[in-house]
Amino acid sequence: MKKFYIIIICICIILTIINVCSVNNQKNSVDKEEIVIVNKNVSYGEKYNEKKKYYNKTNYKTFNKIFKEKKVYTIAITNDKSNTKDAFVKLINKISFYNNENIYLLNTSDLSKKNKAKYYNLNSELKGLESDCIIKVYNKKIISKTTFTKNSINKIIESYE
């Protein structure tokens, strides 16, 4: 009977070692994304107008409503403290026009203290979001996050010109 318990313990130890080794072999590094610009030869019905807003500027009430719906929405988040805010808004405007996408722009600096607290309590992931990012939401969940750097914003804007 003792031999049986010793064999079971040895098997458990071997399986644990195999499990630990397989977990350590997985990649723990963050994969870097590369921006690949594809030139599109598409003609649009109208010309892009820098002065026209093709995105939807939103407030907390609208954000709260669309955040809870069972439909996928694209929301761009920025704030006044961001040093790339103007370029980011320009990028959002171009993406909205050229991709014919309905993007909601939320400036967290425009939120009152009360609404800012409600905003951060909607989902724990909202607290960790940096400014100048685009999220896709569905039924109170963030299903996609894209954060932009100054270089990536400029590259993408140049690709549309």
Side-chain angles (χ1 to χ4, degrees):
M1 195 61 146
K2 280 187 173 184
K3 288 183 180 182
F4 179 71
Y5 287 123
I6 292 173
I7 292 173
I8 290 179
I9 291 173
C10 289
I11 292 173
C12 288
I13 291 172
I14 291 171
L15 291 175
T16 304
I17 291 171
I18 292 171
N19 190 22
V20 169
C21 290
S22 66
V23 170
N24 286 338
N25 288 338
Q26 293 177 355
K27 290 184 180 179
N28 292 330
S29 64
V30 176
D31 294 333
K32 291 190 176 187
E33 294 184 20
E34 184 177 322
I35 298 173
V36 178
I37 306 299
V38 178
N39 291 333
K40 297 179 183 177
N41 295 326
V42 179
S43 61
Y44 297 96
E46 62 178 278
K47 273 193 139 182
Y48 177 76
N49 184 354
E50 296 252 348
K51 295 175 182 159
K52 189 174 178 184
K53 290 183 183 176
Y54 298 100
Y55 59 88
N56 299 311
K57 191 168 183 177
T58 188
N59 56 18
Y60 173 76
K61 184 178 178 183
T62 307
F63 176 80
N64 186 31
K65 180 184 172 201
I66 63 177
F67 190 75
K68 294 178 180 179
E69 286 190 25
K70 290 187 177 183
K71 186 176 173 188
V72 177
Y73 285 96
T74 304
I75 302 167
I77 298 174
T78 189
N79 65 36
D80 292 338
K81 294 177 185 175
S82 170
N83 58 356
T84 57
K85 177 188 175 233
D86 294 334
F88 181 69
V89 171
K90 184 178 178 181
L91 172 67
I92 296 305
N93 204 30
K94 287 193 178 224
I95 291 173
S96 293
F97 176 77
Y98 287 111
N99 295 356
N100 196 20
E101 188 171 354
N102 194 12
I103 299 178
Y104 293 86
L105 178 68
L106 178 67
N107 187 344
T108 57
S109 297
D110 292 343
L111 299 176
S112 66
K113 286 184 180 181
K114 181 180 176 183
N115 285 342
K116 198 175 276 192
K118 288 180 185 178
Y119 164 79
Y120 287 123
N121 287 328
L122 282 175
N123 187 312
S124 61
E125 290 182 76
L126 291 172
K127 293 177 187 173
L129 289 179
E130 298 176 18
S131 64
D132 301 339
C133 69
I134 295 177
I135 60 172
K136 296 219 182 241
V137 296
Y138 175 80
N139 192 24
K140 300 180 188 176
K141 293 182 180 125
I142 297 173
I143 57 174
S144 167
K145 291 184 268 188
T146 307
T147 305
F148 295 91
T149 63
K150 186 175 184 177
N151 291 337
S152 64
I153 291 172
N154 291 333
K155 273 187 178 179
I156 297 171
I157 288 174
E158 287 172 7
S159 74
Y160 283 115
E161 294 174 351

